């Protein structure tokens, strides 16, 4: 038994002084003056749900290589930064069945230090995919990702997306999109390369905000026609945010996910004179300018954007150098798992942009609700898993690759001074981090199966049914003319 004493419990709803008792990995009591068992001193700290990162790519096969952090190093990095659960993407190969691909991910995730779940990517379309989707949902994977970019590799077309969205809606799942117009990106890329723009800055030029805004709006409209809730990953710009905001105002069930990288790093990174510096920051969508960042922060403040993720997809410098002479060959992706909470606390809560309660909402509770795993995850409640971060708002550090858990040789936030670090991180009751010292247990993490048909889907299905086309019953129909 463990008791977290003398802290302030912070949830998405409220903050209050209380101790928290943990037994067998679960919260069993919350109250004043609790005693007994191992005591963790939370004086001066906030006791919050551990972070849930809804968007990671661990050991992901991509662009001719594999992302460098696997489930072992990736989840160790997560815990070190106060994140206690990741949701990774199963990526079936062309023609591969979904259940077969899911098994490959289960084979990789056995070394995880913290709990994890999966989204299933729909990377091709056919009867086999349609059939497998039901078993996928039954196996606890209820969210399906669609890439509107990466033409010739992962991209699906509108007709495929519409079929898939309808199937996801019928099965009670959530549709996800990477929203960039892949056809336009391919055209712009070819033109830039032909004109001699081969450096990493070409990556940013090839993916302007318009390609993201267009695709986001298209996905929203297709999802509405299909009757499925939609989660837009890595929303990076005002054009995409505007489409999401407008949809939500019109009553559509759409959520947007900015990344901590887009909130805090800008496009000037791509114009750095050092090729490695710029290439290490190549990701899709690319970093934007200050006005887009302001839009993302405003979205978190006003509630039009819902979750902060990392899209952790870390490649080493050597891997990034695959793209010397051709930016289109630089593996897309950046790290951030370890830094998401401290960076968001520093740039969000410590600046007054977010309240501590809003911080909890966007780092864990909202996604736990969207993915139907609340209150097992994302909550400080009796009966919830004891996935907790005891965050010391006064603790500081300077981010440095030399001290990180991640397997790569650099950190895109290198040199940033952050305030607000975990004093303790607990994964289902196990104390995996104590003031920077990581004592995770390899293999401790468990797969979190999720159930379909959260209430949003039921409401959408009911509304779709009520408003479905029906033949008008008429009397006195004229005889057919000859
Ligand atoms: N985002 C990125 O550049 N890499 C990871 C794959 C994806 O999410 O698009
Ligand atoms: Zn993506
Ligand atoms: Zn991603």
């Amino acid at each position: 038994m463990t008791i977290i004493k003398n802290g302030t419990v912070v949830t998405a709803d409220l903050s209050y002084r209380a101790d928290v008792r943990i037994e067998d990995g679960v919260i069993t009591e919350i109250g004043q003056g609790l005693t007994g068992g191992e005591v963790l001193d939370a004086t001066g700290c906030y006791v919050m749900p551990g972070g849930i990162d809804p968007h990671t790519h661990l050991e992901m096969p991509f662009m001719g290589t594999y992302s460098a952090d696997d489930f072992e190093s990736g989840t160790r990095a997560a815990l070190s930064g106060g994140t206690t659960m990741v949701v990774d993407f199963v990526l079936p190969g062309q023609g591969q069945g979904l259940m077969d691909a899911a098994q490959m991910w289960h084979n990789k995730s056995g070394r995880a230090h913290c709990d994890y779940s999966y989204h299933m990517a729909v990377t091709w379309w056919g009867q086999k995919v349609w059939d497998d989707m039901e078993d996928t949902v039954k196996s606890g994977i209820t969210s399906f990702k669609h890439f509107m970019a990466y033409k010739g590799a992962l991209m699906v077309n509108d007709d495929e997306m519409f079929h898939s969205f309808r199937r996801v809606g019928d099965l009670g799942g959530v549709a996800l999109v990477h929203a960039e117009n892949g056809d336009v990106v391919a055209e712009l890329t070819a033109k830039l390369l032909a004109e001699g723009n081969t450096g990493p800055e070409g990556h940013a030029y090839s993916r302007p905000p318009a390609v993201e805004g267009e695709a986001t709006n298209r996905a929203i409209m297709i999802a509405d026609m299909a009757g499925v809730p939609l989660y837009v990953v890595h929303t990076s710009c005002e054009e995409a945010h505007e489409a999401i905001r407008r949809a939500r105002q019109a009553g559509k069930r759409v959520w947007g996910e900015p990344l901590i990288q887009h909130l805090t790093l800008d496009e000037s990174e791509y114009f750095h004179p050092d090729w490695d510096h710029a290439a290490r920051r190549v990701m899709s969508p690319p970093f934007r300018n200050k006005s887009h960042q302001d839009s993302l922060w405003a979205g978190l403040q006003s509630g039009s954007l819902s979750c902060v993720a990392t899209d952790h997809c870390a490649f080493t410098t050597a891997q990034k150098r695959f793209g010397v002479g051709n930016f289109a060959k630089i593996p897309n992706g950046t790290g951030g798992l370890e830094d998401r909470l401290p960076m968001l606390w520093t740039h969000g809560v410590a600046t007054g942009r977010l309240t501590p309660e809003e911080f909890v909402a966007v780092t864990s509770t909202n996604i736990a609700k969207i993915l139907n795993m609340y209150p097992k995850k994302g909550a400080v409640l009796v009966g919830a898993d004891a996935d907790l971060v005891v965050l010391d708002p006064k603790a500081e550090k300077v981010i440095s690759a030399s001290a990180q858990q991640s397997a790569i040789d650099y950190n895109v936030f290198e040199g940033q001074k952050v305030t607000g670090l975990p004093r303790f991180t607990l994964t289902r009751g196990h104390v995996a981090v104590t003031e920077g010292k990581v004592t995770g247990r390899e293999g401790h993490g468990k797969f979190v199966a999720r159930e379909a048909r959260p209430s949003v889907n039921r409401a959408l299905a009911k509304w779709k049914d009520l408003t479905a086309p029906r033949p008008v019953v008429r009397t006195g129909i004229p005889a057919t003319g000859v």
Side-chain angles (χ1 to χ4, degrees):
M1 187 188 2
T2 307
I3 297 189
I4 303 176
K5 278 197 77 68
N6 303 322
T8 299
V9 173
V10 183
T11 71
D13 302 317
L14 77 165
S15 302
Y16 57 100
R17 296 295 296 269
D19 303 337
V20 177
R21 188 192 307 279
I22 297 159
E23 289 167 284
D24 297 325
V26 171
I27 298 171
T28 54
E29 192 178 0
I30 302 171
Q32 305 284 337
L34 305 187
T35 53
E38 180 197 4
V39 171
L40 301 178
D41 181 19
T43 304
C45 293
Y46 297 119
V47 182
M48 308 190 294
I52 300 173
D53 193 331
H55 189 159
T56 68
H57 300 280
L58 301 175
E59 206 181 334
M60 179 205 196
F62 193 42
M63 297 185 72
T65 184
Y66 281 82
S67 58
D69 275 318
D70 59 12
F71 276 84
E72 194 285 312
S73 62
T75 55
R76 183 158 38 82
L79 287 170
S80 159
T83 287
T84 53
M85 182 176 176
V86 300
V87 191
D88 207 74
F89 290 83
V90 175
L91 217 63
Q94 292 302 302
Q96 186 183 23
L98 307 189
M99 296 302 288
D100 190 30
Q103 188 53 52
M104 286 172 64
W105 254 253
H106 281 302
N107 296 345
K108 295 197 269 194
S109 58
R111 297 175 64 202
H113 291 260
C114 70
D115 287 359
Y116 53 90
S117 195
Y118 305 135
H119 308 288
M120 176 61 70
V122 175
T123 53
W124 62 284
W125 189 248
Q127 186 65 40
K128 172 79 178 144
V129 176
W130 196 92
D131 289 342
D132 275 7
M133 285 171 101
E134 185 164 11
D135 287 338
T136 304
V137 167
K138 283 187 187 145
S139 75
I141 305 172
T142 58
S143 38
F144 292 83
K145 162 92 170 279
H146 304 74
F147 290 91
M148 300 169 80
Y150 306 128
K151 188 174 180 178
L154 302 171
M155 179 170 136
V156 286
N157 296 323
D158 289 355
D159 55 343
E160 298 167 326
M161 209 163 71
F162 185 50
H163 283 295
S164 178
F165 277 16
R166 279 196 297 196
R167 180 74 167 145
V168 176
D170 288 346
L171 291 170
V174 183
L176 276 67
V177 279
H178 169 137
E180 287 183 303
N181 185 318
D183 287 318
V184 174
V185 170
E187 293 290 326
L188 294 180
T189 301
K191 183 168 184 295
L192 284 157
L193 288 172
E195 290 168 355
N197 283 298
T198 58
E201 64 283 3
H203 176 78
Y205 288 132
S206 71
R207 310 179 102 99
V211 300
E212 189 183 341
E214 184 281 326
T216 304
N217 194 56
R218 179 158 38 103
I220 288 169
M221 296 306 168
I222 293 175
D224 187 47
M225 290 183 276
V228 70
L230 181 72
Y231 183 90
V232 184
V233 304
H234 48 46
T235 303
S236 76
C237 63
E238 163 57 15
E239 284 81 345
H241 177 201
E242 187 273 332
I244 293 167
R245 211 166 51 223
R246 184 158 36 87
R248 288 171 66 89
Q249 268 176 347
K252 298 185 174 74
R253 307 300 182 156
V254 177
W255 301 280
E257 171 206 85
L259 305 182
I260 190 63
Q261 296 91 319
H262 288 119
L263 286 161
T264 59
L265 301 173
D266 68 40
E267 64 186 359
S268 63
E269 305 282 356
Y270 300 117
F271 301 99
H272 197 283
D274 178 25
W275 189 97
D276 283 335
H277 179 104
R280 287 164 175 163
R281 283 142 182 94
V282 163
M283 66 166 302
S284 298
F287 303 153
R288 309 292 192 190
N289 69 25
K290 184 88 180 57
S291 70
H292 294 292
Q293 290 183 329
D294 287 345
S295 165
L296 300 182
W297 282 109
L300 291 174
Q301 289 163 327
S302 66
S304 53
L305 297 174
S306 305
C307 308
V308 177
T310 62
D311 191 4
H312 187 95
C313 187
F315 295 101
T316 61
T317 304
Q319 289 174 305
K320 290 282 185 182
R321 287 183 183 167
F322 293 174
V324 172
N326 180 350
F327 69 80
K329 294 196 172 145
I330 301 171
N332 285 202
T334 59
L337 253 174
E338 201 159 350
D339 311 303
R340 180 180 64 132
L341 263 56
M343 282 293 288
L344 190 69
W345 188 272
T346 304
H347 293 272
V349 182
T351 59
R353 281 165 161 147
L354 297 177
T355 67
E357 295 80 10
E358 286 164 349
F359 175 88
V360 170
V362 300
T363 54
S364 68
T365 307
N366 288 353
I367 194 64
K369 290 180 179 172
I370 293 166
L371 295 181
N372 201 24
M373 51 191 181
Y374 183 86
K376 174 182 168 65
K377 300 294 186 189
V380 185
L381 287 173
V382 171
D385 282 356
D387 280 3
L388 296 165
V389 58
V390 177
L391 187 132
D392 181 349
K394 294 210 169 82
E396 294 177 349
K397 73 169 183 183
V398 175
I399 294 176
S400 164
S402 62
Q404 73 189 8
Q405 301 292 323
S406 167
I408 61 170
D409 54 326
Y410 62 93
N411 186 310
V412 295
F413 303 116
E414 184 76 29
Q416 292 243 11
K417 186 174 171 193
V418 283
T419 315
L421 303 176
R423 181 177 292 177
F424 306 107
T425 309
L426 290 85
T427 157
R428 272 185 291 101
H430 170 64
V431 183
V433 177
T434 305
E435 290 181 346
K437 188 169 177 335
V438 182
T439 49
R441 284 190 195 134
E442 195 176 315
H444 168 85
K446 284 194 183 139
F447 173 66
V448 178
R450 297 178 281 113
E451 282 188 15
R453 296 216 70 84
S455 57
V456 167
N457 284 61
R458 271 195 295 274
L460 278 180
K462 190 175 235 173
W463 182 249
K464 268 276 158 221
D465 188 39
L466 275 173
T467 57
R470 287 182 174 76
V472 176
V473 180
R474 296 190 173 86
T475 52
I477 300 172
T480 41
V482 202

